[in-house]
Amino acid sequence: MSKDYYKILEVEKTASAEEVKKAFRKKAHEFHPDKPNGNEAKFKEVNEAYQVIGNVDKRTQYDQYGSTFDQQGGFGGGVGWDDFMKYARQGGSGSSSQNVNFDFGDLGDIFGDIFGFGGRSSSRRTNRGNDIEMDFELEFSESIFGVKKGIELYRDNKCSFCNGNLAEPGTPIKTCTTCGGSGQVIRVQRTMLGNFQTSSVCPDCRGEGKIVEKKCSHCAGSGIEKNTSKIEVQVPAGVENGMTLRLSGQGNAAHFGGVPGDLYLHLHIRQDKRYKRDANDLILSQPISMIQASLGDKIDVLTLDGPIELKIPAGTQPNNQFRLRGKGVPRMNGSGRGDLYVEVKIEIPKKLSRRQKKLLEEFAE
């Protein structure tokens, strides 16, 4: 019984070749047998449909003869799904008479994972240096307003003799003839369905695209040397304890001229005796006398920006908080500052004179 291949791929009969291919990719991803909700039967059916209407000649025949068109599994000549899998896994040892060309780089991970082929890659492989992690201590005030601090690192650096180009100074560096400077070699395999194209890292230049005639005598052609480096770290205002700063490209240099790794600084901030931090807000414990709390007063409060006068209203109770807007920690995104909360602590005198006791007794009565 004839199948409606257009319906299987959910495309119109007027769909372009690109639209058909796009629909096939979507369906193949959806029904891929390796996925948790995959469906091998539907995956085969989708592939069968694409082998017909994804091929110009077969599509013409299918559109012309309709229900009398029989593709015998979608591959012609009695070749079905099992044969397709067999040839593909063998890397393709048969000849193709179907005029169908496949490129696993085009189909990405739909077929690449099944047959063990990698997709195409137009970018050169680049070595990357290792990252470095270290603890970084800050004073409380440095974390609030930011600071620029110098640190020393013993790390892999670019070779100072060859400047990281791997060659002895004055000797030539040639383009790799194996890969033509691309860093990759392309391999084409003929199969019953056409040509499969795969790429891999060039074995001669290790993906760099260049060959040195004479290796650097200082670094033995590795492009790096170990020594101590001094760098400056700009700590932004408002950082918190436990945060990690990432300095791109400040890690170890890479062998053979690659890109350096990153430096990760784990921040440890010393506590302040006066302020308690809560995100971008600060809490300051401020002692006042019971007389000030009872009668009210004006006191000087030390903020991050210097002293400021604060009015204590009469009848202030213990642990009351007074909010000073914008006197807290600068926000890291640059949108203002948090607040300062002044929490009053009412001090009770431990020793009273006779007159003070008498006055208190009279007040109590």
Side-chain angles (χ1 to χ4, degrees):
M1 183 176 178
S2 180
K3 297 180 181 179
D4 189 342
Y5 292 136
Y6 291 103
K7 186 176 181 180
I8 291 172
L9 292 181
E10 295 185 2
V11 295
E12 299 293 333
K13 289 187 176 182
T14 56
S16 65
E18 187 60 33
E19 289 173 333
V20 170
K21 182 177 180 180
K22 184 177 180 180
F24 165 63
R25 287 173 59 89
K26 180 181 178 181
K27 290 291 183 182
H29 273 293
E30 181 181 354
F31 299 125
H32 196 301
D34 289 343
K35 291 193 173 184
N37 297 321
N39 188 314
E40 185 174 354
K42 286 188 177 294
F43 185 73
K44 293 178 181 180
E45 188 177 50
V46 166
N47 188 70
E48 177 183 324
Y50 182 65
Q51 297 310 310
V52 176
I53 63 175
N55 177 276
V56 177
D57 296 334
K58 290 183 179 182
R59 183 175 181 178
T60 301
Q61 295 176 35
Y62 179 72
D63 291 341
Q64 182 177 357
Y65 297 107
S67 60
T68 62
F69 180 80
D70 184 7
Q71 288 298 314
Q72 302 183 49
F75 296 100
V79 181
W81 172 260
D82 293 336
D83 298 299
F84 170 63
M85 295 293 286
K86 175 183 176 182
Y87 277 99
R89 288 194 173 102
Q90 290 174 346
S93 57
S95 60
S96 171
S97 60
Q98 307 303 322
N99 193 29
V100 179
N101 288 315
F102 278 85
D103 188 334
F104 283 115
D106 266 349
L107 301 183
D109 61 350
I110 299 177
F111 293 117
D113 292 340
I114 300 176
F115 305 136
F117 295 141
R120 287 182 303 177
S121 173
S122 59
S123 60
R124 180 181 301 172
R125 186 200 70 164
T126 304
N127 292 318
R128 187 178 184 277
N130 292 326
D131 296 331
I132 298 176
E133 296 185 49
M134 63 181 296
D135 293 327
F136 194 58
E137 291 193 352
L138 292 172
E139 297 294 340
F140 182 79
S141 59
E142 294 174 336
S143 71
I144 300 298
F145 296 109
V147 67
K148 182 182 286 186
K149 300 188 74 171
I151 60 174
E152 289 189 353
L153 292 173
Y154 185 71
R155 64 181 181 184
D156 293 340
N157 285 308
K158 184 189 294 185
C159 176
S160 58
F161 192 60
C162 69
N163 198 32
N165 66 15
L166 321 183
E168 185 75 9
T171 61
I173 301 176
K174 298 180 179 180
T175 300
C176 177
T177 56
T178 303
C179 64
S182 67
Q184 295 184 339
V185 290
I186 306 298
R187 185 164 59 100
V188 178
Q189 293 178 312
R190 291 179 57 83
T191 73
M192 53 159 292
L193 294 174
N195 296 329
F196 289 100
Q197 180 173 294
T198 61
S199 62
S200 58
V201 175
C202 177
D204 292 338
C205 68
R206 289 172 291 195
E208 295 303 319
K210 58 186 180 181
I211 298 291
V212 298
E213 197 167 273
K214 184 178 180 182
K215 293 181 179 180
C216 172
S217 58
H218 185 71
C219 66
S222 68
I224 64 171
E225 61 181 354
K226 281 188 175 292
N227 52 35
T228 300
S229 301
K230 294 182 179 180
I231 64 173
E232 281 195 337
V233 179
Q234 181 63 59
V235 179
V239 296
E240 296 187 56
N241 187 56
M243 280 187 171
T244 298
L245 295 183
R246 173 177 172 264
L247 279 68
S248 180
Q250 293 294 342
N252 284 309
H255 287 73
F256 313 117
V259 297
D262 299 331
L263 172 61
Y264 292 88
L265 299 178
H266 304 298
L267 304 184
H268 300 277
I269 300 172
R270 295 188 178 95
Q271 292 185 348
D272 189 89
K273 295 180 180 179
R274 296 167 298 174
Y275 302 107
K276 180 181 178 181
R277 182 171 175 178
D278 181 14
N280 292 309
D281 295 329
L282 293 174
I283 300 173
L284 173 65
S285 181
Q286 179 69 43
I288 61 173
S289 69
M290 64 177 187
I291 303 299
Q292 290 174 308
S294 301
L295 304 179
D297 198 2
K298 291 181 179 179
I299 62 173
D300 286 334
V301 173
L302 185 61
T303 71
L304 296 175
D305 306 297
I308 189 173
E309 188 177 79
L310 175 66
K311 182 180 179 180
I312 303 295
T316 293
Q317 299 299 306
N319 300 321
N320 273 9
Q321 286 188 341
F322 299 94
R323 181 182 184 184
L324 299 178
R325 294 181 181 274
K327 296 299 180 181
V329 180
R331 294 185 175 90
M332 289 188 66
N333 60 13
S335 59
R337 295 170 60 174
D339 302 324
L340 172 63
Y341 291 87
V342 180
E343 186 176 83
V344 295
K345 299 294 183 182
I346 300 176
E347 294 183 328
I348 307 297
K350 294 181 179 180
K351 293 182 179 182
L352 296 174
S353 65
R354 290 183 180 180
R355 177 171 171 75
Q356 290 171 331
K357 288 182 179 180
K358 185 178 180 180
L359 290 173
L360 285 175
E361 289 170 354
E362 290 176 358
F363 177 76
E365 293 176 356

